Amino acid sequence: MIQDRPHAADGEERDQIDRALLPFAPLLYIAWADGELSADEAALLRRRLADASVDSRIADALGRWLDPAKPPAPEVLEALLLDVRRAASRLPAGEHLSIATLAREIGSASGVAVDDQTLRALKVVEEALGLPDE
């Protein structure tokens, strides 16, 4: 499962944060897929998340994922991709989804309710990354 990094809350709170991050996994993977996230890109994503009023604990955890000075190791990105693929494998085959919709479905398939506020944040990040609608 996607994990808040680096060391964050302990125990149950950390598990809740980790689970809440799962819908953001596809976007986090895409943000780092080219191997680099510039400071400007990271700052834009953080601003967009703040504008979308993401829960501060989730925004802080996402901020740690979006730190250009501390990129995720290749094995962490690989694990993130495996999380996305595992969750996506439970979705109907052949359906074209936006990344935000895929993220919502991944959350739902994993037992994580994605509220309207989180869905708006996912769409904002999707737009900030310049991703197509499907």
Side-chain angles (χ1 to χ4, degrees), residues 24-92:
F24 290 93
L27 295 170
L28 291 172
Y29 179 79
I30 290 168
W32 286 105
D34 66 358
E36 186 176 311
L37 182 67
S38 74
D40 290 341
E41 291 169 325
L44 172 65
L45 291 171
R46 282 193 200 97
R47 279 194 310 273
R48 295 287 178 95
L49 287 167
D51 292 346
S53 301
V54 173
D55 177 280
S56 63
R57 296 175 309 151
I58 304 306
D60 289 346
L62 289 169
R64 286 187 288 279
W65 270 92
L66 297 171
D67 183 353
K70 297 178 184 173
E75 57 272 10
V76 172
L77 282 177
E78 186 176 334
L80 186 60
L81 180 58
L82 289 174
D83 285 345
V84 171
R85 286 183 175 165
R86 187 174 14 256
S89 71
R90 295 181 284 230
L91 301 175

